[in-house]
Amino acid sequence: MITIKDVAKLAGVASSTVSCVLNSKKYVSEHTRQKVLAAANELNYIKHGAASELKRKQTQTIGVIVHDMSVPYFSDLVSGIESSAISQGYDLIVCSSLGGERSTAARFIRERRLDGVIVIAENIEDELLLQAAETGFPIVVMDRELHSKHIVNVLMDDEQGGYMATRFLLDKGHRAIAYISGPLSSDCNLMRYQGYLRAMHEAGVEENENWRMGGQFLKTGGYNAAKLLMEGELPTAVFFANDEMAIGGLEAFKEHQVSIPEDLSIIGFDNIHLSEYLNPPLTTFRQPKTDAGSLAGHVLIQMLKGEAVESTYRINIQCVERDSVSCYSIIKS
Amino acid sequence: MITIKDVAKLAGVASSTVSCVLNSKKYVSEHTRQKVLAAANELNYIKHGAASELKRKQTQTIGVIVHDMSVPYFSDLVSGIESSAISQGYDLIVCSSLGGERSTAARFIRERRLDGVIVIAENIEDELLLQAAETGFPIVVMDRELHSKHIVNVLMDDEQGGYMATRFLLDKGHRAIAYISGPLSSDCNLMRYQGYLRAMHEAGVEENENWRMGGQFLKTGGYNAAKLLMEGELPTAVFFANDEMAIGGLEAFKEHQVSIPEDLSIIGFDNIHLSEYLNPPLTTFRQPKTDAGSLAGHVLIQMLKGEAVESTYRINIQCVERDSVSCYSIIKS
DNA sequence: CTGTTAGCGCGTTCAT
DNA sequence: ATGAACGCGCTAACAG
């Protein structure tokens, strides 16, 4: 293996000089600079990462922690983060927190193989993050709200999203609006529901408790809820806590000859890839993930540089209007 | 920061002893072992990754190189790799080759911050990989075929897949089968086409050159090809080079009142998520990605351990039968 | 102002 | 079970 010393020898200078050149430090005469560069090039010198890290105590690398790399959800998020990282000269790696305490993610954080991390992984313990942050390790959390000196939250504003979605239906004349809930353990779901309630309240509309139902964030959850819904009096619009559930619901309604959007309007949440291909194409609400990712990356790098940052950033959710909602007045006529 | 020496002091032993205990090396008496463990625990000792790597010259980490993390295609592949890696005590990280020579991936390979890599990234140069392999760095390549002592190929057998797909149609009585090609620059596409030709040839059926058309691996590519196809005499079955194209084709056929599968059978390739939700659900051919990933991980670890491996592994493609194909005899009757 | 020398950082390993 | 040497790049203090 070629070391800095080999380069120094070939260039006829001291190894420290080589280091200075390679890191563009201090004043080194152009002449020796060229000599060093030429020698490094000739020998095909590559610095040894570990040795450099050992001394510098930083890796120029930031990590994205995901709870399971096989979830495509992260794609956009990660590409946003990547753009920030690259533009600032940081390397970016993704690691999974599968395995909890002994996961790659946990190890990399503990062993300081990263300068900072962005977390999108429910299955990593608050405790672990708080502990790391305690020691000054910068963390951006995107899937929960956590407060500590070195932790910043970048969150989708699900409450605002839920509010917006509900307002969207209200504005179309709907009053009988059901919210089909996701799992109660999910913060996203809760916030969306809060937003729903706020909009309903603001419009002076009561929530019909008979329509209060839900399930997992899955197709079957939506399917079952829709079936249940059809056993009683139908609302005129249904707000599904996410698109997957809306897909299930759509299926159930179809089976019972309830036409969408003629007989019933439905909206989803998330704007998953599929939603655009449904019949009818689903009106839904989009989380601007790339933007969120790039913000998260940007904020982390600010922390790394010791710049001041807010403790929480909230990203606005956006409406993606398609064809699964109609105006209530039109239905009636 | 707590170092091994702090632990040694507290436990009243030498730092080397601590190292032995922590790495379960050599014979250390149970008594001191416990003392050391207790001390390490009390101080909350965590080894410094870089220092350890510096000495050991290995990182216990393998990397997956993807050309752009925002492509969901990799999800299953990665989760297969992950399962292999974890089971063998390796950490796994994903890094992107976006940026070519100066990408994170390229740097990590060069700086030996990984023990080995699995590559699924067309945009990384053969040269870079060959160079790294030259120095004994183990690489598994999944998106091309590359020959070098330390490179192993794990590939989807697209030729066999194309053959199988065509045979599937032939077995249903079809003789007039069009292959709608993807881009000619794509190896996958070429291999699928080769398989198609082999099956046709074997069955003694001539390829109708009027049906020889194609486009990008995209919806529009399939759409346009289908339109073109309908200008002449239709085949009884169409084999689209991938699902995206099949989706576009389906749309075009629908627009022209060609019913699938009554008037025309179609198949796709890839089994993307969407294909199951189409109308009719698309018969397609699945690349067992998780299996491929786990094989790739397994092979890489074998290389790391110095065990013997083949130079190329080919993964069989599997049929996913849905409702977009009918028997030719039934159509005629 | 340019280049050098010496020693640091931390875990691992080998000879004792 | 131990102490010292080692790995390699970086930096502070120093000399030319």
Side-chain angles (χ1 to χ4, degrees), chain B residues 23-82:
Chain B
N23 298 296
S24 4
K25 284 264 179 73
K26 286 187 174 173
Y27 296 92
V28 179
S29 76
E30 187 55 26
H31 178 240
T32 43
R33 223 180 75 82
Q34 290 304 336
K35 261 198 316 193
V36 169
L37 254 27
N41 207 49
E42 186 179 332
L43 295 175
N44 228 305
Y45 167 77
I46 289 143
K47 83 151 176 258
H48 188 97
S52 168
E53 280 170 33
L54 176 58
K55 184 65 188 179
R56 287 204 171 175
K57 296 192 177 291
Q58 38 170 313
T59 60
Q60 286 294 309
T61 302
I62 65 188
V64 179
I65 315 293
V66 302
H67 72 80
D68 173 352
M69 301 213 233
S70 69
V71 178
Y73 173 90
F74 305 123
S75 303
D76 294 334
L77 227 36
V78 173
S79 83
I81 299 171
E82 192 171 21

Side-chain angles (χ1 to χ4, degrees), chain A residues 61 82 96 104 107 113 274, chain B residues 61 82 91 96 104 113 274:
Chain A
T61 303
E82 193 170 19
S96 138
T104 298
R107 270 217 283 274
R113 287 167 69 167
L274 222 66
Chain B
T61 302
E82 192 171 21
D91 283 311
S96 139
T104 299
R113 286 165 71 166
L274 223 66

Side-chain angles (χ1 to χ4, degrees), chain A residues 66-72 74 94-96 98, chain B residues 62-69 71-86 91-95 118-120 142 156 288-298:
Chain A
V66 302
H67 71 79
D68 174 352
M69 302 210 236
S70 69
V71 179
F74 307 123
V94 177
C95 38
S96 138
L98 198 70
Chain B
I62 65 188
V64 179
I65 315 293
V66 302
H67 72 80
D68 173 352
M69 301 213 233
V71 178
Y73 173 90
F74 305 123
S75 303
D76 294 334
L77 227 36
V78 173
S79 83
I81 299 171
E82 192 171 21
S83 68
S84 289
I86 289 182
D91 283 311
L92 182 73
I93 66 174
V94 177
C95 37
I118 295 171
V119 178
I120 327 165
M142 301 189 76
M156 292 294 170
K289 297 199 207 117
T290 308
D291 297 348
S294 106
L295 175 64
H298 186 74

